[in-house]
Amino acid sequence: MEAGVGRGRGLPKLRELLRRQRRDSETLSESPDLEFVYDDADKYTIEVAELYSYTEEPEFALNCRNFEESFKNHAKKRWTECDVATRRTHIMRILNAIEVSDRQKRMVEVRSLLYLVQGVFAECDHEEDQLYWTRYNVFLLYECGAFTALAELLNMEMENGVAASSALRKPAVSLADSTDLRVILNILYIMIETMRFDDENDSDERSAVRDAFKQELGQPMYGEETLAITLFNMVTKFCSGSAPHFPMKKVLLLLWKTVLTSLGSLDEVHKWKNQKRANADLPPLTEDTHEVCKSMRAASPPASAADLIEQQLPKRNMRGSKKNLIKQSSLDDPFENGDDEITKEIEAMIGQEEDDRLPPPSPRPDTPVASKRLPWTPKVRQRDLESFLEYSRAKFVGLQIPGDLNSLAGLPQPIHEGVKVLKQHLYTSLSEVQIKREEEITKNPLSRPETELPNTASEILYQAMWNNLPQYMIALLKILLAAAPTSKAKTDSINILADVLPEEMPTTVLQSMKLGIDVNRHKEVIVKAISGLLLLLLKHFKLSHIYQFEYMSQHLVFANCIPLVLKFFNQNIMSYVSAKNNVPVLDYPNFVIGEQPELTAENLESGDEQQFCWRNIFSCINLLRILNKLTKWKHSRTMMLVVFKSAPILKRALKVKHAMMQLYVLKLLKMQTKYLGRQWRKSNMKTMSAIYQKVRHRLNDDWAYGNDMDARPWDFQAEECALRACVDHFNNRRYSSNGSDPELKPVDNCLTSVLGQYIELAPEFKDNYEKWIEREVFTTQIDWDQVLKH
């Protein structure tokens, strides 16, 4: 009786839970595909607008006032009405003025330069005019040498100990502590972002200037450091706590765009990859991931547990209906599974007749029917072909022929056909060629010496940063952790809000709402910059040399990048990609051109009209791509995904209906499927079907059944150690000053030159050399015949 009463009390609660989950799943399934187009960055105007925090709004008027007070003393007309000679003369006057030692006077002139790159907005009536003058002034400033001067000024401000010590003494760092740095970073960022874009109205001369600028950006500008290394050092100093006033959002945005401009876009990586494949006598790549994803349709998200349960409820009277209830693996999503109490109530309901029935669930749209042709051409590695032949020969012939891929004697005809198909889809990557070359150099250092290092931008950057790369990766991941929406504030965490919080905290509800939006937007932009930067470095280093890529990958893994990315996705991902942390009326240049509407609560809450947030989807796709690059063909790292129970987290990400994002989620699920067990595969057949439709096939990859040798226990630590040994040997040989083997160095056999070398003797030896001669020479019998013979 008591059980019946308890069950009766629990039924309304259960029905409400099922209705709510079904309503949520219907909303998700009815949502259209997101019309998001992946690119290296967002539109120019949005990228520049994200540079500024909403709390920086009063500084725009200050920039304008500083410039006008300076310019009216030397010209009678406005900037937009002057001739080129007058403009150039005034810029040179400003550049001379920023060399003065008086900080206040120097920063007044720097603000004048900032107003110029902001497009002299006070003289513009429309946004098109402001964009025109921004581009015009940026090219004029670069031709006058402003970029190099500002880069040197940034280096000087970075070493400013007074500002750092002042910030360290304060209990809370605010926007005012980074004023000078923010002005310089703003100018450099706008110049780089403006010259990165190719405008159809640019003349041939301007195109040549852009190309020269990209080349210059990858070269050391002052001393021996490139601008990217200076910015990396700013990031590490900030994370170490010695410079808490550094405006991290601007530093990271500038670092990302510096690397993007100097190394090249992802489209250029694809083009250069084909060039390198041609040089290595390899066929070109015909598929571009971005282009293929544009033609793919997003799949509907997997059915929720509520839908699966409701489909079981009408079968209560059937014998053995308990077996019909679909069970979820312990690795599945606990949110979808429900807790133990609900599960017990459902099992108690089975076999009982109830008058009150829940309405049947509305039909869900099926996964889009795949076209007759799969989106990707299948690939086969040489290692897979060798394994297939070894197994076949052991089974049918009982003989092994190591390294032979052609002899098929004694093998049945189906094996011949299988080898033929595998060879048709055989794919040799640049990485395999480079690894083979490294093995040859290691075995034969004299006959296969190191070739001359290429003078590319990525090679120059790697040479400059490889020694400190572990610190750089740890610093970037620390900031990413602090900016992740799932992170909770801790007393020992770094403060990334120093360049968004005002000196005086808001006193009204409207100001508090505005600051809250600004803080969320600030964190989203930081995540966007770091994810874009890391992906760009991984892509370029992999193109340059596989061991450069592996070196960076290993240090990302050692710095816990894998659990960090999973922690990032362990949130309501649909809410994140549709977040509206933008106020259009406050975005630059809207609030400096024309009449400004009064800021109200409605303006703050209106947000953007788009159904998604571009930067947040961009960040999610980048982080998924980074996770793919770290774990691909690495069984130890794939096991980390399993250990951290990534399957339910990744399944939730499939709810975002965007083909490219779903592709990288499915790739991550595919590589760990064999480790998740039969029950998981049985319970997630819709996900398995999506993997089959959308992910590239490896012809003899037994990913769906788990019968592969790789699924057996593995000495994962040995795998990582062997890789690290190869990477360290590569770095020491190519980049270390004492990297060459001393046994292979040339020997000086000339007696005169050897005895004539000057050797600095220690002071202790000089004071006691008589005792040394007595002990080592006079009292020791020397067989000079033996000495001369050897």
Side-chain angles (χ1 to χ4, degrees), residues 375-583:
W376 305 98
T377 304
K379 287 182 179 178
V380 177
R381 295 182 299 170
Q382 182 172 328
R383 186 185 308 173
D384 299 330
L385 178 58
E386 290 172 353
S387 301
F388 179 74
L389 281 171
E390 284 178 11
Y391 177 78
S392 301
R393 286 168 180 157
K395 182 176 181 180
F396 294 104
V397 182
L399 179 68
Q400 296 296 340
I401 313 175
D404 190 338
L405 302 179
N406 299 314
S407 299
L408 302 176
L411 299 177
Q413 187 60 31
I415 300 297
H416 287 232
E417 294 176 2
V419 171
K420 181 182 178 182
V421 172
L422 291 177
K423 285 186 175 180
Q424 285 175 351
H425 296 91
L426 193 63
Y427 173 77
T428 305
S429 66
L430 275 173
S431 304
E432 292 172 312
V433 175
Q434 291 168 346
I435 290 173
K436 189 175 180 181
R437 164 76 180 169
E438 286 298 315
E439 291 173 351
E440 291 175 354
I441 293 176
T442 304
K443 291 178 182 177
N444 309 296
L446 294 178
S447 60
R448 298 298 300 271
E450 180 68 63
T451 56
E452 187 176 349
L453 298 184
N455 190 30
T456 59
S458 55
E459 183 67 37
I460 293 170
L461 179 62
Y462 184 81
Q463 288 183 39
M465 69 183 292
W466 79 273
N467 223 7
N468 297 314
L469 190 138
Q471 290 86 350
Y472 296 155
M473 296 303 106
I474 291 171
L476 289 174
L477 293 182
K478 270 187 178 181
I479 299 173
L480 182 61
L481 176 62
T486 52
S487 295
K488 296 178 181 178
K490 296 180 181 178
T491 53
D492 58 342
S493 62
I494 54 178
N495 178 21
I496 58 171
L497 303 178
D499 53 331
V500 68
L501 296 177
E503 279 189 287
E504 298 180 1
M505 296 307 287
T507 55
T508 65
V509 175
L510 190 65
Q511 290 175 342
S512 299
M513 289 174 62
K514 174 184 168 185
L515 183 59
I517 293 172
D518 204 5
V519 167
N520 291 336
R521 174 176 176 264
H522 182 83
K523 290 182 176 180
E524 290 173 1
V525 173
I526 287 178
V527 173
K528 169 186 171 182
I530 293 178
S531 64
L533 172 65
L534 290 176
L535 178 63
L536 204 63
L537 289 174
L538 286 171
K539 294 282 283 186
H540 278 280
F541 286 161
K542 190 172 185 180
L543 178 65
S544 179
H545 198 286
I546 182 60
Y547 282 155
Q548 294 178 1
F549 164 81
E550 295 291 2
Y551 183 59
M552 179 177 169
S553 298
Q554 277 206 324
H555 284 291
L556 283 173
V557 173
F558 296 157
N560 285 331
C561 182
I562 292 176
L564 172 55
V565 174
L566 294 175
K567 178 183 175 70
F568 179 88
F569 280 97
N570 193 20
Q571 59 170 313
N572 188 339
I573 203 69
M574 287 300 295
S575 298
Y576 185 72
V577 300
S578 58
K580 306 288 185 185
N581 290 314
N582 262 13
V583 184

Side-chain angles (χ1 to χ4, degrees), residues 761-772:
L761 301 175
E764 294 81 2
F765 180 82
K766 292 179 181 179
D767 295 338
N768 302 288
Y769 78 94
E770 293 178 347
K771 295 179 181 177
W772 182 85

